[in-house]
């Protein structure tokens, strides 16, 4: 009998494959980065073929290292960077263009136009999203308008669209030899094309972007007992494993953090930060700049929705210190550098590199470092960078409380940046609530594995999964209320500068 479940986590900077046992413990993993292609200011692309190759490689290596084969896996789940858009030819398997990444702002004119004639409000109402460069709809439109031959091929159903979940599922199940063309409700809810109530593509929304329905994948539950397909014997697993889960990475992390009850929330710290609050089966529309999104749909059970605060630049601001400024040699060093000083020395850094996402939704905002004096050093800038991660999370936590009335007693955190203890302490100080990290910090892959295993009966109920959640570390606030509010007021002033910058 198969003792494990596998999960592919196709993220913005890397792809990993993880293997979990019934207790939700990690038993194997491998991870590879892929190239960030930055052809112009504001443009961010990935090579889909490279992503598929890296996915195959991480699966093979993780399985071989543990001496496992396909028969050891009860199921396989896929989770992915959301919104990033690929259009490829279903006959040749070749992408027409690089994947346009969620951070890419080339579609700013497309997004702005939606708000000039009332279409924006229809999108808000039907899709739960504010028109923005972030989502897939504008990216697909851009490819249809700018890449030769794609429109005709899309109308005939030869050119097909998918986020990276769809691309990988298609390849894992055979590609040109009959790969499945599917996505799940969570990924579809990030396109501006799906109606949150019907959970289907919406003809009016499709017409706003002039997108032919024939190019879109079938929308399936996030965890599907009737399985999407099986992996191919000739593929990286070397045998047939049922593919039973697909969900966007932030929704997967919500499942991995076992936020199954209404009012439960998590905050994931990766390239960006994403706070999701489970709102149960009701669609809560935000008045405070949050997104309404599908949290998950388990088989035939009704869909569960979430409010989401998406922040574009958090961990990637630390990478910027490393790659563009060269003031640290690795992400871990940001903690040591920031710890050299007691406070930010008056410096506030708003890393609005992709404009500002939640709760501002200003694609024209640009980054700013304010409050500098001759006294300041690299250490203050490192500290201000970590604080920016935490202040942005406070902005979305405030919005969430306004929209839902739910006051968080504790913030469940996960993701790479949570290894930075100083940053987690700052988060508790800036938010004024304790911060709690689970033993398995890779909750994204874990959530995809949970969704896959629930579909096959490997795990029977979500209550069983709750038993697997254990806290590894907790940080409690140490700042006085006065200190907290003074810092936050200065942060808000700094944010205002980034909004004023472009007129
Ligand atoms: O919406 C974008 C998000 O899904 C990306 O997550 O962890 O790949 O940066 P991550």
């Amino acid at each position: 009998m198969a003792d494990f479940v596998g999960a592919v986590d196709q993220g913005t900077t890397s792809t990993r494959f993880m293997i979990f046992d019934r207790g939700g413990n990690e038993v194997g993993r491998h991870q590879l980065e892929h190239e960030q292609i930055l052809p112009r200011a504001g443009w961010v692309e990935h090579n889909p073929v490279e992503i598929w190759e890296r996915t195959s490689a991480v699966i093979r290596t993780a399985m071989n290292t543990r001496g496992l084969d396909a028969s050891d896996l009860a199921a396989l789940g896929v989770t992915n960077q959301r919104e990033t858009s690929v259009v490829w030819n279903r006959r040749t398997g070749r992408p027409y263009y690089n994947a346009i990444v969620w951070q890419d702002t080339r579609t700013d004119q497309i997004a702005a136009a939606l708000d000039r004639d009332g279409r924006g409000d229809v999108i808000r109402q039907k899709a739960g999203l504010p028109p923005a460069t972030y989502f897939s709809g504008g990216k697909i439109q851009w490819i249809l308008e700018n890449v030769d031959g794609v429109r005709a091929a899309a109308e005939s159903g030869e050119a097909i669209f998918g986020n990276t979940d769809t691309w990988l599922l298609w390849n894992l199940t055979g590609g040109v030899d009959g790969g499945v063309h599917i996505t799940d409700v969570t990924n579809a809810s990030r396109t501006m094309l799906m109606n949150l109530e019907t959970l289907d593509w919406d003809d009016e929304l499709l017409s706003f972007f002039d997108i032919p329905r024939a190019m879109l994948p079938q929308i399936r539950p996030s965890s599907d007992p009737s399985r999407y397909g099986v992996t191919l014997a000739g593929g990286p697993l070397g045998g047939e494993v049922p593919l039973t889960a697909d969900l966007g990475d932030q929704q997967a992390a919500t499942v991995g953090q076992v936020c199954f009850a209404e009012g439960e929330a998590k905050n994931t710290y990766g390239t960006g930060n994403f706070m999701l609050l489970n709102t149960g089966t009701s669609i809560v529309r935000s008045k405070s700049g949050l997104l309404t999104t599908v949290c998950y749909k388990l088989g035939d059970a009704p869909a569960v929705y979430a409010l989401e605060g998406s922040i574009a630049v958090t961990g990637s601001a630390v990478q910027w210190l490393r790659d563009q400024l060269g003031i640290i040699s690795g992400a871990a060093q940001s903690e040591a550098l920031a710890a050299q000083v007691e406070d930010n020395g008056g410096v506030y850094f708003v890393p609005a590199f992709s404009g500002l996402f939640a709760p501002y939704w200003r694609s024209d905002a640009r980054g700013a470092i304010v409050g500098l004096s001759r006294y300041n050093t690299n250490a203050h800038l490192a500290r201000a960078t970590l604080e920016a991660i935490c202040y942005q999370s406070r902005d979305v936590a405030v919005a969430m409380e306004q929209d839902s009335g739910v006051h968080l007693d504790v913030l469940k955190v996960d993701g790479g940046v949570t290894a930075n203890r100083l940053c987690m302490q700052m988060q508790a100080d800036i938010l004024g609530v304790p911060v709690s990290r689970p033993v398995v910090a890779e909750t994204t892959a874990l959530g995809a594995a949970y969704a896959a295993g629930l579909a096959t009966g490997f795990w029977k109920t979500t209550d069983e999964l709750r038993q697997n959640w254990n806290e590894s570390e907790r940080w409690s606030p140490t700042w006085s209320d006065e200190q907290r509010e003074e810092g936050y007021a200065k942060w808000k002033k700094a944010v205002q500068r980034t909004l004023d910058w472009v007129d």
Side-chain angles (χ1 to χ4, degrees), residues 170-322:
W170 187 79
N171 279 293
L172 283 164
T173 55
V176 292
D177 298 318
V180 298
H181 186 215
I182 62 123
T183 188
D184 89 305
V185 283
T186 67
N187 276 293
S189 77
R190 320 292 298 188
T191 57
M192 299 196 277
L193 306 174
M194 190 189 80
N195 185 316
L196 281 178
E197 277 162 24
T198 64
L199 301 176
D200 194 6
W201 306 118
D202 183 284
D203 286 328
E204 185 182 21
L205 297 177
L206 294 183
S207 75
F208 291 172
F209 301 90
D210 204 6
I211 293 174
R213 203 181 243 266
M215 75 186 298
L216 299 176
Q218 185 196 10
I219 304 174
R220 300 278 292 260
S222 324
S223 167
D224 198 342
S226 61
R227 72 192 196 184
Y228 312 133
V230 291
T231 58
L232 283 193
L237 280 166
E240 293 193 351
V241 177
L243 278 156
T244 51
D246 172 16
L247 57 178
D249 56 9
Q250 302 309 321
Q251 284 86 345
T254 313
V255 170
Q257 287 270 28
V258 295
C259 295
F260 293 118
E262 194 175 328
E264 290 187 316
K266 67 87 203 180
N267 199 21
T268 300
Y269 297 67
T271 320
N273 263 38
F274 302 89
M275 194 184 293
L276 268 76
L277 173 78
N278 182 326
T279 62
T281 50
S282 43
I283 300 174
V284 178
R285 297 191 187 279
S286 176
K287 295 189 180 63
S288 313
L290 302 176
L291 312 178
T292 308
T293 198
V294 181
C295 195
Y296 52 82
K297 178 168 161 55
L298 306 180
D300 289 338
V304 169
Y305 295 87
L307 277 169
E308 172 177 322
S310 331
I311 305 167
V313 179
T314 57
S316 55
V318 177
Q319 285 171 353
W320 183 74
L321 297 183
R322 181 193 65 188

Side-chain angles (χ1 to χ4, degrees), residues 10-13 80-83 102 134 190 249-250 270-272 274 308:
Q10 200 303 292
T12 309
T13 53
N80 59 302
Q81 53 168 326
R82 306 163 303 167
E83 301 95 14
W102 59 276
Y134 181 22
R190 320 292 298 188
D249 56 9
Q250 302 309 321
T271 320
F274 302 89
E308 172 177 322

Side-chain angles (χ1 to χ4, degrees), residues 481-494:
D481 287 349
E482 197 188 350
Q483 195 176 4
R484 181 164 24 256
E485 294 320 312
E486 200 185 303
Y488 192 51
K490 290 208 179 111
W491 163 258
K492 296 293 269 185
K493 262 171 93 172

Side-chain angles (χ1 to χ4, degrees), residues 340-477:
Q340 287 175 9
V341 287
E342 270 180 11
D343 57 30
N344 64 14
V347 178
Y348 288 80
F349 171 27
V350 186
F353 299 154
S354 299
L356 280 175
F357 283 16
Y360 306 100
W361 297 107
R362 284 281 299 268
S363 55
D364 56 345
R366 289 295 173 267
I369 300 171
V370 300
L372 288 168
S373 64
R374 178 99 193 248
Y375 158 76
N376 294 127
T377 65
N378 285 349
H380 293 117
L381 184 55
R383 204 162 179 113
T385 306
L386 300 183
E387 283 192 358
I389 296 175
C390 305
Y391 277 122
Q392 292 188 96
S393 291
R394 173 152 174 187
D395 280 342
V396 300
V398 168
M400 225 157 235
E401 196 170 334
Q402 280 166 1
D403 275 343
S404 66
V406 174
H407 178 73
L408 295 175
D409 299 328
V410 58
L411 181 68
K412 279 182 165 183
V413 300
D414 56 80
V417 179
T418 63
N420 188 322
R421 292 198 162 86
L422 178 62
C423 187
M424 293 301 99
Q425 181 58 53
M426 286 174 178
Q427 185 66 84
D429 288 335
I430 284 171
L431 208 53
V433 302
V435 166
S436 163
R437 190 180 64 195
V439 173
V440 179
E442 297 299 344
T443 52
T444 301
L446 181 62
Y450 279 168
L454 279 172
T456 62
F458 185 83
W459 288 292
K460 302 277 181 285
T461 62
T462 53
D463 281 344
E464 192 182 336
L465 303 178
R466 273 190 191 282
Q467 311 303 319
N468 290 345
W469 194 96
N470 289 302
E471 183 177 83
S472 81
E473 212 159 344
R474 178 177 281 243
W475 293 267
S476 298

